[in-house]
Amino acid sequence: MKLRLGMIGGGPGAFIGAVHRHAAALDGMYELTAGAFSADAEKSRAMGGLLGLAPERVYGSYQELIGQERQRPEAERVQVISIVTPNHVHFDPARLALENGFHVILDKPMTFSLAEARQLADVAEASGCLLCLTHTYTGYPMIKEARQLVAAGTLGPIRKAYVEYPQGWLSGPEESTANKQAAWRTDPARSGAAGAMGDIGTHAFNLLEYVTGLPVVRLCADLNTVVPGRRLDDDGAVLLRLSNGASAVLTATQIAAGEENNLRVRVYGELGGLEWQQADANTLLVKWLDRPTEIRRAGTGYVGSLAQHNTRTPAGHPEGYLEAFANLYRNFALTVQARLAGRPAPPEALDFPGVAEGIRGMAFIENVVASSQSQQKWTEFTV
Amino acid sequence: MKLRLGMIGGGPGAFIGAVHRHAAALDGMYELTAGAFSADAEKSRAMGGLLGLAPERVYGSYQELIGQERQRPEAERVQVISIVTPNHVHFDPARLALENGFHVILDKPMTFSLAEARQLADVAEASGCLLCLTHTYTGYPMIKEARQLVAAGTLGPIRKAYVEYPQGWLSGPEESTANKQAAWRTDPARSGAAGAMGDIGTHAFNLLEYVTGLPVVRLCADLNTVVPGRRLDDDGAVLLRLSNGASAVLTATQIAAGEENNLRVRVYGELGGLEWQQADANTLLVKWLDRPTEIRRAGTGYVGSLAQHNTRTPAGHPEGYLEAFANLYRNFALTVQARLAGRPAPPEALDFPGVAEGIRGMAFIENVVASSQSQQKWTEFTV
Amino acid sequence: MKLRLGMIGGGPGAFIGAVHRHAAALDGMYELTAGAFSADAEKSRAMGGLLGLAPERVYGSYQELIGQERQRPEAERVQVISIVTPNHVHFDPARLALENGFHVILDKPMTFSLAEARQLADVAEASGCLLCLTHTYTGYPMIKEARQLVAAGTLGPIRKAYVEYPQGWLSGPEESTANKQAAWRTDPARSGAAGAMGDIGTHAFNLLEYVTGLPVVRLCADLNTVVPGRRLDDDGAVLLRLSNGASAVLTATQIAAGEENNLRVRVYGELGGLEWQQADANTLLVKWLDRPTEIRRAGTGYVGSLAQHNTRTPAGHPEGYLEAFANLYRNFALTVQARLAGRPAPPEALDFPGVAEGIRGMAFIENVVASSQSQQKWTEFTV
Amino acid sequence: MKLRLGMIGGGPGAFIGAVHRHAAALDGMYELTAGAFSADAEKSRAMGGLLGLAPERVYGSYQELIGQERQRPEAERVQVISIVTPNHVHFDPARLALENGFHVILDKPMTFSLAEARQLADVAEASGCLLCLTHTYTGYPMIKEARQLVAAGTLGPIRKAYVEYPQGWLSGPEESTANKQAAWRTDPARSGAAGAMGDIGTHAFNLLEYVTGLPVVRLCADLNTVVPGRRLDDDGAVLLRLSNGASAVLTATQIAAGEENNLRVRVYGELGGLEWQQADANTLLVKWLDRPTEIRRAGTGYVGSLAQHNTRTPAGHPEGYLEAFANLYRNFALTVQARLAGRPAPPEALDFPGVAEGIRGMAFIENVVASSQSQQKWTEFTV
């Protein structure tokens, strides 16, 4: 049976709301049943109509959605709520949803501040409900392959990692135009303490820790605001130390004119290295000291269990961003279904980002901002 | 409102059935409502259960599905039927569905033989129903961009085209193993007159005519059966002439060991050329005589109306095979919905393959087989 | 000691003459000592001056060069003569040089006609002198690696090969401009029976036979003259059979607008395949049925003896076209030096194209032209 | 007339000596006439013999070479001396050569220390002789194109740059093996204050300043010694500020297992960006905010004057590392010849690295080492 899904946010003009809907739809494991798509009830209703929802399941606010769905019979009410609003409207609806017994899918970064994230973690734990944080990029099968290869020691102890996330779409003062995406992302009151570092730096940070399996313990950040008048960073670079002493470099920018969304990660151990970039997402390069680089490909018979579990088609049928996103939704659905059925979830389904990753992401934002403002070279990574 | 969808074929172990289901689901425009997933009623029921269908909408045969759905009230019965069976079970269910007033989505090639295809065309016309033939690759946004650039004369008159489709999965005698996909595709009684040329050569042929906008008028084919004991061609090359006198080369093989699904097309006019390959599907290279090659990318602001209509995410968020497939489903849904509402379909939605492409594809198979058996160099392309 | 080199052709405006001089210079194994750079004695002298030759070693005709060098003391006269003239001026100077005891480096194709090539082969044999034919592309280290892998049976028996050579520089009527390269290459009186097929098709043919180690035994050609008024083919495609029954496809065109010099070869056996393209010349992709594709790279420790012998720098220091060309010169020098010293040449130095390849190349031109004019599908490859 | 060249260093087992010889030979502008190839006179003589030098021009020490060549008649003695020894043997022979009136080609980094570099600059100026420092990578035509595009303002004011130089060949303790290259490069007494940063970081730094045309004014460095027992850094990352306020990130490592020599640079301005990597050296990607990325290619008609001047073959005939190196030699030869002839050098020939770049490179090493040892985030770049 499909899980009944409610959505908070994702009204007209939103980017990520539509992505969540595609991701939820792709595998037929969710039925979008209810929504509070906008704080403007009219707009919410219009979007609900477009999406073919029953009018009585379209709400004018998230409070209304959660309150009224809570009243519905268990067999009818939504089971999972996706929250796809700007960052400053993550904490309140997530807390309310969890407290009312709904499992939650939450867009990243987890909250507006680290303090909120810590509080939400407590709420989640107390609620007994599940939470998935949509760090999309860890949903890619070849990223999972990378993690599995590193965890198996295939590359030897990790020594060095590079993760870079260049975009160019904020090269000009987009926030002065009608671009709603730009407006809230560059607004400290809606985005939080960081701009580019919060929006995409957190993805890069999550990817780094996910692939290496090593937490960051120290960092040295250099954040910049390149576009005049902008109120948050739109560019930055961070030197890092991982828990085993390895060093890493993370860069994220939204002013690299001409770049699309060019996330790339490289990790090197004593024996070899690996390289992945989103633009060629179904490929993982595995490099060796003394033999030819391998082109590992999604959908082949030789990839590991995680990559296999997170692929739908045979090799040569490229899967992309929506499929990676859908992998998070699918794994979360498998886990929620197991919970509902009172059985353990399949281990490979448990591999989705959640509260722990959310807290570390918020800590990253706060540590990076603090480091950037400091004259001291190294800042300990504190949570 | 979602269109109610019935499916014929796509039981356990099928490859393309699952693809059709993902494609139908992605945009939330269809609700899979009924199915005859296997000629084995037990298997059909099991699959229906897995998919969460109401048991009374799961049928033991396509005849049963069509017959019983026909009886249901109009507001309840399926509106579109997807046929995802092997080639020899295309014609009968498609005819029956059309004759009973259902719109049809049909996997390629259209039928078992050209004669069947011609007959089905007549049935479709008489029925007044719509038919979509899933030549996936024309669903890619950058293929649509290519077609639009050529049609606009951007490259000048077309002079030369290459289309190649190498796969390696039939390098060994897979049909002697438990591989169901290999078994029917290499069986003349189920696949038709051609093996590789029917399975993937037709895709390449369709892509060639779609991008150039020029029909093939003459050909010279060399088909081979490389794997001992195989009963149909598993490899071939075809020299072609297009209606304007341009020449082309088409190759398709399933014994290129180590190749995945490496479809590529290149077209050259007087002023420039273009190149696309599925492995990098969101990119179209546009080459010029006297200035730098351009990397055109899906999801950007500068691509044409067709590419824009067939993309869901901004540049840098790769879309792939399932999205291309979903584009066919989406365009067909928009067209069917317009038909149901009695209004004209939006022009860009009409851009999906149908009866005409199906007939040409079957003619390609028959002409290619005839040419390969002939000692004469050129065979006129007859339909 | 450096070999003393004489050059015939390669005057001002020539393309390939300068390439030969770079190739001869790179490894310091030749000293350009004499030249007849142009049939115009004035131009020859001017070029000799530019190149810093002693005036008395610059000649007004090839006859003069050969005649006078022959008179010089053995310790002074040139030992090798490079002939870099248009095709119709290959046979006479080559014959004269051989008959006078000079070793010869000859640009491809070998001669103006197959009959000339056969005759030159007899002259060469009678003379006891050595001849190198500059099929550049077999000088690339990763092409040598490809040949060695195939010869070792690594891919299993060969089943299929594709070789393609698209250029775009003759997309317009360049021969009507001041472009000397275009003028002679499109002139039947200077180029021979074929245009594009002679100029670059012979390279592709040579590469096919070199990598597979299999001679072509049958072919079906389709040659075209695309640019109005042109007197030779500027485009073509050829279906081929190799001696073991494998099939192949060769395409060569000079009207693919926007293509530079995009030679590519792919070969598939029972167990795997390989792919090389000149644009990424230091890489050889080796593909497998059931494990990741390997990126083999020039200059690494794991490549075979031929690749190692033909590389000057460690991996990651790209070598290119001039180095490939220089490999022919270097191997020829090693062989000539061994001959002069009365010892056997090192086996890896003997790996350069010569008379045998030249005859097959000329036979290719004649067979391809005959096949293209025939209505019969297959033409036996005769020499 | 060819310039007479003497070489100091480059004996058996040396890497860069052979590269210099190829670079000097390629264009026929130098004649290797004399050498002190090793501090071991026997080895020097053996190498001289291999290279075909007259025995009396092969010396047992650089002092001997310089002293005796100085005695020869002007028309006979070497005019240019190449110094290709380890870093600690740069200053003394360079000074001696300059003081004796020889033009000098010097491998990078310029000297063992910044103090030496400053002193050598004074010597060079006093001598009136010319000095070329072989920062190879600025010899690539598409790097010159990049510089020219930036200088012309094509990208708008520069905002961000990334330069990265990963190698993997020092992933293990190579200095404990017979690897002479590893031995001296990791030895503080022969390499200088830095290991990887001196060996390849200086290349990256030079490339950054060359392409952007902007000097570094401040930096924050993190150097690491990854391989146990190693005595110098083998890895590092540097945050930088350029003179116009733009930020940059430079990484260099020799422990990225599986990487060859993967130099890459990206620069972004207000209007667009550019990307170049050595592995695809003949391509420069030029990216734009609102139109397709351009693939600019060496050897085409549309590239600028510097790229054209530094290319030997038409587009599609890849040139590589040796050609880039040879461009330095060629430009230096043109400049020296002009000097000898008493005429001004052609402006495009003057574009080779020299004393100024050498001093900045040495300052980079010292600033980077100081910064890495400091707890303070930013270190002003002092020379």
Side-chain angles (χ1 to χ4, degrees):
Chain A
M1 286 299 299
K2 293 187 180 186
L3 291 167
R4 292 178 299 279
L5 179 69
M7 178 169 278
I8 294 171
F15 156 57
I16 209 66
V19 167
H20 278 256
R21 287 191 294 265
H22 287 301
L26 183 64
D27 296 300
M29 302 184 80
Y30 295 87
E31 178 79 44
L32 181 58
T33 306
F37 300 104
S38 170
D40 174 332
E42 208 49 56
K43 287 185 182 168
S44 183
R45 219 160 291 136
M47 178 58 77
L50 275 175
L51 296 168
L53 295 200
E56 69 276 14
R57 305 297 281 272
V58 183
Y59 304 96
S61 71
Y62 71 82
Q63 295 91 339
E64 202 188 324
L65 182 150
I66 293 170
Q68 299 208 10
E69 287 293 322
R70 188 73 189 82
Q71 306 303 319
R72 294 188 183 273
E74 205 176 328
E76 191 186 303
R77 71 167 170 249
V78 298
Q79 296 158 300
V80 175
I81 293 180
S82 279
I83 300 170
V84 299
T85 44
N87 305 347
H88 69 307
V89 194
H90 280 191
F91 176 74
D92 287 335
R95 180 182 53 183
L96 199 59
L98 291 165
E99 286 174 350
N100 280 277
F102 297 103
H103 303 292
V104 166
I105 296 173
L106 183 55
D107 207 76
K108 48 52 55 186
M110 194 176 182
T111 48
F112 187 77
S113 67
L114 176 56
E116 276 186 5
R118 278 208 217 89
Q119 208 181 328
L120 190 59
D122 293 342
V123 171
E125 190 169 10
S127 75
C129 289
L130 295 162
L131 186 145
C132 172
L133 189 76
T134 51
H135 272 306
T136 332
Y137 302 101
T138 60
Y140 275 108
M142 297 319 279
I143 284 297
K144 297 191 178 292
E145 178 78 356
R147 174 179 167 89
Q148 216 165 20
L149 288 172
V150 171
T154 314
L155 305 184
I158 296 309
R159 294 166 154 191
K160 188 80 198 182
Y162 302 100
V163 57
E164 60 188 47
Y165 199 152
Q167 293 182 333
W169 70 290
L170 289 179
S171 289
E174 293 299 310
E175 58 269 51
S176 313
T177 70
N179 187 329
K180 290 172 65 167
Q181 300 303 320
W184 78 256
R185 280 183 169 84
T186 59
D187 176 2
R190 289 180 279 173
S191 187
M197 277 294 154
D199 190 19
I200 60 175
T202 49
H203 276 311
F205 171 81
N206 174 252
L207 198 59
L208 173 67
E209 292 199 341
Y210 180 78
V211 171
T212 63
L214 298 168
V216 167
V217 296
R218 198 155 55 250
L219 55 75
C220 166
D222 175 26
L223 304 195
N224 304 297
T225 301
V226 171
V227 173
R230 185 157 288 159
R231 289 180 294 161
L232 287 170
D233 60 285
D234 48 21
D235 171 81
V238 192
L239 310 176
L240 306 127
R241 275 295 175 288
L242 308 183
S243 61
N244 74 341
S247 63
V249 182
L250 180 157
T251 61
T253 187
Q254 298 183 309
I255 55 87
E259 294 291 347
E260 295 177 347
N261 191 45
N262 206 355
L263 180 62
R264 187 165 75 129
V265 62
R266 288 169 288 171
V267 174
Y268 301 94
E270 266 183 44
L271 307 173
L274 51 80
E275 175 172 354
W276 178 88
Q277 55 186 323
Q278 200 207 196
D280 187 16
N282 298 288
T283 293
L284 178 70
L285 297 179
V286 185
K287 307 180 181 195
W288 302 103
L289 274 180
D290 49 7
R291 55 186 205 272
T293 291
E294 295 171 16
I295 305 180
R296 295 205 162 218
R297 296 274 298 160
T300 57
Y302 56 72
V303 295
S305 58
L306 282 184
Q308 291 202 7
H309 172 70
N310 287 282
T311 310
R312 289 159 191 79
T313 50
H317 299 78
E319 300 192 21
Y321 177 81
L322 294 177
E323 286 83 356
F325 218 112
N327 286 336
L328 305 189
Y329 265 85
R330 189 165 70 116
N331 285 330
F332 192 64
L334 290 169
T335 303
V336 169
Q337 285 171 335
R339 169 74 60 93
L340 296 175
R343 51 176 165 76
E348 63 276 11
L350 290 169
D351 174 41
F352 60 83
V355 167
E357 288 80 4
I359 287 183
R360 289 196 64 79
M362 294 311 302
F364 172 73
I365 292 174
E366 304 213 345
N367 283 290
V368 142
V369 170
S371 169
S372 185
Q373 290 163 353
S374 168
Q375 291 313 308
Q376 177 186 318
K377 188 185 276 181
W378 292 104
T379 297
E380 298 301 309
F381 190 95
T382 53
V383 180
Chain B
M1 287 297 300
K2 292 186 180 187
L3 291 167
R4 291 178 300 279
L5 179 70
M7 177 168 278
I8 294 170
F15 155 58
I16 208 68
V19 167
H20 278 255
R21 287 191 293 266
H22 287 302
L26 182 63
D27 296 300
M29 302 183 80
Y30 295 87
E31 178 79 45
L32 181 58
T33 306
F37 299 106
S38 171
D40 174 332
E42 209 46 59
K43 286 186 181 167
S44 183
R45 219 160 290 138
M47 177 58 77
L50 275 175
L51 296 169
L53 295 200
E56 69 275 15
R57 306 297 281 272
V58 182
Y59 305 95
S61 71
Y62 71 82
Q63 296 90 340
E64 204 189 322
L65 182 149
I66 294 169
Q68 298 208 10
E69 288 292 322
R70 190 72 188 81
Q71 306 302 320
R72 294 189 183 273
E74 206 177 326
E76 190 185 304
R77 70 167 172 251
V78 298
Q79 296 158 300
V80 176
I81 293 180
S82 279
I83 300 170
V84 299
T85 45
N87 304 348
H88 68 307
V89 195
H90 281 191
F91 176 74
D92 286 336
R95 181 183 53 183
L96 200 59
L98 291 165
E99 287 174 350
N100 280 277
F102 296 104
H103 303 292
V104 166
I105 297 173
L106 184 55
D107 207 76
K108 47 50 60 185
M110 193 176 184
T111 48
F112 187 76
S113 68
L114 176 57
E116 276 186 6
R118 279 209 216 87
Q119 209 180 327
L120 190 60
D122 293 342
V123 170
E125 188 168 10
S127 75
C129 290
L130 295 162
L131 187 147
C132 173
L133 190 76
T134 53
H135 273 305
T136 332
Y137 302 101
T138 59
Y140 275 107
M142 297 318 279
I143 284 297
K144 296 191 179 292
E145 178 78 356
R147 175 179 167 87
Q148 218 166 20
L149 288 172
V150 170
T154 313
L155 307 184
I158 297 308
R159 293 166 154 191
K160 188 79 198 183
Y162 302 101
V163 57
E164 60 188 49
Y165 199 152
Q167 294 182 333
W169 71 290
L170 289 178
S171 289
E174 294 298 311
E175 58 269 52
S176 312
T177 71
N179 187 328
K180 291 171 64 169
Q181 299 304 320
W184 78 256
R185 280 183 168 82
T186 59
D187 177 2
R190 288 180 280 173
S191 187
M197 277 294 153
D199 190 19
I200 60 174
T202 49
H203 276 310
F205 171 81
N206 174 250
L207 198 59
L208 172 67
E209 293 200 340
Y210 181 78
V211 171
T212 63
L214 298 168
V216 167
V217 295
R218 198 156 56 249
L219 55 76
C220 166
D222 175 26
L223 306 194
N224 304 297
T225 302
V226 171
V227 173
R230 185 157 287 159
R231 289 180 293 159
L232 288 170
D233 60 285
D234 49 21
D235 172 81
V238 193
L239 309 177
L240 307 126
R241 275 294 176 289
L242 308 182
S243 62
N244 73 341
S247 63
V249 182
L250 180 157
T251 61
T253 187
Q254 298 183 309
I255 54 88
E259 294 291 347
E260 296 176 347
N261 192 45
N262 206 355
L263 181 61
R264 187 165 76 130
V265 62
R266 288 169 290 172
V267 174
Y268 301 93
E270 267 184 46
L271 307 173
L274 50 80
E275 176 173 352
W276 178 88
Q277 55 186 323
Q278 200 206 197
D280 187 16
N282 298 289
T283 293
L284 177 69
L285 296 180
V286 185
K287 308 179 181 194
W288 302 103
L289 273 179
D290 49 7
R291 56 185 204 272
T293 292
E294 295 170 17
I295 305 180
R296 296 206 159 215
R297 296 274 297 161
T300 56
Y302 56 73
V303 294
S305 57
L306 282 184
Q308 292 202 6
H309 172 70
N310 287 281
T311 311
R312 291 158 190 79
T313 49
H317 300 78
E319 301 192 21
Y321 177 81
L322 294 176
E323 286 83 356
F325 219 112
N327 286 336
L328 304 189
Y329 266 84
R330 189 165 70 115
N331 286 330
F332 192 63
L334 290 169
T335 304
V336 169
Q337 285 171 335
R339 170 74 60 94
L340 295 175
R343 50 176 165 75
E348 63 276 12
L350 290 169
D351 174 42
F352 59 83
V355 167
E357 287 80 3
I359 287 182
R360 288 196 65 79
M362 294 310 303
F364 172 72
I365 292 174
E366 304 213 345
N367 282 289
V368 141
V369 169
S371 169
S372 185
Q373 290 163 353
S374 168
Q375 291 313 309
Q376 178 188 318
K377 188 185 277 179
W378 293 103
T379 296
E380 298 301 308
F381 190 95
T382 53
V383 180
Chain C
M1 285 299 297
K2 293 187 181 187
L3 291 167
R4 292 179 299 280
L5 179 69
M7 178 168 279
I8 294 171
F15 156 58
I16 208 68
V19 166
H20 278 256
R21 287 191 293 265
H22 288 302
L26 183 64
D27 296 300
M29 302 183 80
Y30 295 87
E31 178 78 45
L32 182 58
T33 305
F37 300 106
S38 171
D40 175 331
E42 210 48 58
K43 286 186 182 165
S44 184
R45 219 160 292 139
M47 177 58 77
L50 275 174
L51 296 168
L53 294 200
E56 69 276 15
R57 305 298 281 272
V58 183
Y59 304 96
S61 72
Y62 70 83
Q63 295 91 339
E64 203 188 325
L65 183 150
I66 294 168
Q68 300 208 8
E69 288 292 322
R70 189 74 188 80
Q71 306 302 321
R72 295 187 183 274
E74 205 176 328
E76 190 186 306
R77 69 167 171 251
V78 298
Q79 297 158 300
V80 176
I81 293 180
S82 279
I83 300 169
V84 300
T85 44
N87 305 348
H88 68 308
V89 194
H90 281 191
F91 176 75
D92 287 334
R95 181 183 53 182
L96 200 59
L98 290 165
E99 286 174 352
N100 281 278
F102 297 103
H103 303 292
V104 167
I105 297 173
L106 184 54
D107 207 75
K108 45 53 60 186
M110 193 173 183
T111 47
F112 187 76
S113 68
L114 175 57
E116 277 186 4
R118 277 208 218 88
Q119 209 180 327
L120 190 59
D122 293 342
V123 171
E125 191 169 7
S127 75
C129 290
L130 296 162
L131 186 147
C132 173
L133 190 76
T134 53
H135 273 305
T136 333
Y137 302 102
T138 60
Y140 276 108
M142 297 318 280
I143 283 298
K144 296 191 178 292
E145 177 78 357
R147 175 177 167 89
Q148 216 166 21
L149 288 172
V150 170
T154 314
L155 307 183
I158 297 308
R159 293 166 153 191
K160 188 81 199 182
Y162 302 101
V163 58
E164 60 189 48
Y165 200 151
Q167 295 182 334
W169 70 290
L170 289 179
S171 289
E174 294 299 312
E175 58 269 51
S176 313
T177 70
N179 188 328
K180 290 171 66 169
Q181 300 304 319
W184 77 257
R185 280 183 168 83
T186 59
D187 176 2
R190 287 181 280 173
S191 187
M197 277 295 153
D199 190 20
I200 59 174
T202 48
H203 276 310
F205 172 81
N206 174 251
L207 197 60
L208 172 67
E209 292 200 339
Y210 181 78
V211 171
T212 63
L214 298 168
V216 167
V217 296
R218 200 155 54 249
L219 55 75
C220 166
D222 175 26
L223 305 194
N224 304 297
T225 301
V226 171
V227 173
R230 185 157 287 161
R231 290 180 292 160
L232 288 170
D233 60 284
D234 48 22
D235 170 82
V238 193
L239 310 177
L240 307 127
R241 276 294 175 289
L242 308 182
S243 62
N244 74 341
S247 62
V249 183
L250 180 157
T251 61
T253 188
Q254 298 183 309
I255 56 86
E259 294 292 348
E260 296 176 348
N261 191 44
N262 206 353
L263 180 62
R264 187 165 74 129
V265 62
R266 288 169 288 171
V267 174
Y268 301 93
E270 266 184 46
L271 307 173
L274 51 80
E275 176 173 353
W276 178 87
Q277 55 187 322
Q278 200 207 196
D280 187 16
N282 298 288
T283 293
L284 178 70
L285 297 179
V286 185
K287 308 180 181 195
W288 302 103
L289 274 179
D290 49 8
R291 56 185 204 272
T293 291
E294 295 170 16
I295 305 179
R296 294 205 162 217
R297 296 273 298 161
T300 57
Y302 56 73
V303 294
S305 58
L306 282 184
Q308 291 202 6
H309 172 70
N310 288 282
T311 311
R312 289 159 191 79
T313 51
H317 300 78
E319 301 192 21
Y321 177 81
L322 293 177
E323 286 84 354
F325 220 111
N327 287 335
L328 305 189
Y329 266 83
R330 189 164 70 116
N331 287 329
F332 192 64
L334 291 168
T335 303
V336 169
Q337 286 171 335
R339 169 74 60 95
L340 296 175
R343 51 175 164 77
E348 62 277 12
L350 291 169
D351 173 42
F352 60 83
V355 167
E357 289 79 4
I359 288 182
R360 288 197 65 80
M362 293 312 301
F364 172 73
I365 292 175
E366 304 214 345
N367 283 289
V368 142
V369 169
S371 169
S372 185
Q373 289 163 354
S374 168
Q375 292 313 308
Q376 178 187 319
K377 188 185 275 179
W378 292 102
T379 296
E380 297 302 308
F381 190 95
T382 53
V383 180
Chain D
M1 285 301 297
K2 293 187 181 187
L3 291 167
R4 292 179 298 280
L5 179 69
M7 177 168 280
I8 294 170
F15 155 57
I16 208 68
V19 167
H20 278 256
R21 287 190 294 264
H22 287 302
L26 183 63
D27 296 300
M29 302 183 80
Y30 296 87
E31 178 78 45
L32 181 59
T33 307
F37 300 106
S38 170
D40 174 331
E42 210 47 58
K43 286 186 183 168
S44 184
R45 219 160 292 138
M47 177 59 76
L50 276 175
L51 296 168
L53 294 199
E56 69 276 16
R57 305 298 281 270
V58 182
Y59 304 95
S61 72
Y62 70 83
Q63 295 91 338
E64 203 187 324
L65 183 149
I66 294 169
Q68 300 207 9
E69 289 291 322
R70 189 73 188 80
Q71 307 302 318
R72 294 186 184 274
E74 205 175 330
E76 190 186 306
R77 70 168 171 250
V78 298
Q79 297 157 300
V80 176
I81 293 179
S82 280
I83 301 169
V84 300
T85 44
N87 304 348
H88 68 307
V89 195
H90 281 190
F91 176 75
D92 287 334
R95 183 183 50 181
L96 199 58
L98 291 165
E99 287 174 351
N100 281 279
F102 297 103
H103 303 293
V104 167
I105 296 174
L106 184 54
D107 208 75
K108 46 52 56 185
M110 193 174 181
T111 47
F112 187 76
S113 68
L114 175 56
E116 277 186 3
R118 277 208 218 88
Q119 209 180 326
L120 190 59
D122 293 342
V123 171
E125 191 169 7
S127 75
C129 290
L130 295 162
L131 187 148
C132 172
L133 190 76
T134 53
H135 273 305
T136 333
Y137 302 102
T138 59
Y140 275 108
M142 297 319 279
I143 284 297
K144 297 193 178 291
E145 177 78 357
R147 175 178 168 89
Q148 216 166 21
L149 288 173
V150 170
T154 314
L155 306 183
I158 297 309
R159 292 166 153 192
K160 188 80 199 181
Y162 301 102
V163 58
E164 59 189 49
Y165 199 152
Q167 294 181 334
W169 70 289
L170 289 178
S171 289
E174 294 299 311
E175 58 268 53
S176 314
T177 70
N179 187 330
K180 291 171 64 168
Q181 300 304 319
W184 77 257
R185 281 183 168 82
T186 59
D187 176 2
R190 288 180 279 174
S191 187
M197 277 295 154
D199 190 20
I200 59 174
T202 48
H203 276 310
F205 171 81
N206 174 251
L207 198 59
L208 173 67
E209 292 199 341
Y210 181 78
V211 172
T212 63
L214 297 168
V216 167
V217 295
R218 198 155 55 250
L219 54 76
C220 166
D222 175 27
L223 305 195
N224 304 297
T225 301
V226 171
V227 172
R230 185 158 288 160
R231 289 179 293 160
L232 287 171
D233 59 285
D234 49 21
D235 171 82
V238 193
L239 309 177
L240 308 127
R241 277 293 176 288
L242 308 182
S243 62
N244 73 340
S247 62
V249 183
L250 179 157
T251 61
T253 187
Q254 297 182 310
I255 55 87
E259 294 291 348
E260 296 176 347
N261 191 45
N262 206 353
L263 180 62
R264 188 165 74 128
V265 62
R266 289 169 288 171
V267 174
Y268 301 93
E270 267 183 45
L271 307 173
L274 50 81
E275 175 173 352
W276 178 88
Q277 55 187 321
Q278 199 206 196
D280 187 16
N282 298 288
T283 293
L284 177 71
L285 296 180
V286 185
K287 308 179 181 196
W288 302 103
L289 274 179
D290 49 7
R291 57 187 204 273
T293 291
E294 293 170 17
I295 305 179
R296 295 205 161 216
R297 296 274 297 160
T300 56
Y302 55 73
V303 295
S305 58
L306 283 184
Q308 291 201 7
H309 172 69
N310 287 282
T311 310
R312 288 158 192 79
T313 50
H317 300 78
E319 301 192 21
Y321 176 81
L322 293 177
E323 286 84 355
F325 219 110
N327 287 336
L328 305 190
Y329 266 84
R330 188 164 70 116
N331 286 330
F332 193 63
L334 291 169
T335 303
V336 169
Q337 286 172 334
R339 169 74 60 97
L340 296 174
R343 51 175 164 75
E348 61 278 11
L350 291 169
D351 173 43
F352 60 83
V355 167
E357 289 78 5
I359 287 183
R360 288 197 64 80
M362 293 312 302
F364 173 73
I365 292 175
E366 304 213 345
N367 282 289
V368 141
V369 169
S371 170
S372 185
Q373 289 163 354
S374 167
Q375 292 313 308
Q376 178 188 318
K377 189 185 277 181
W378 292 103
T379 296
E380 297 302 309
F381 190 95
T382 53
V383 180

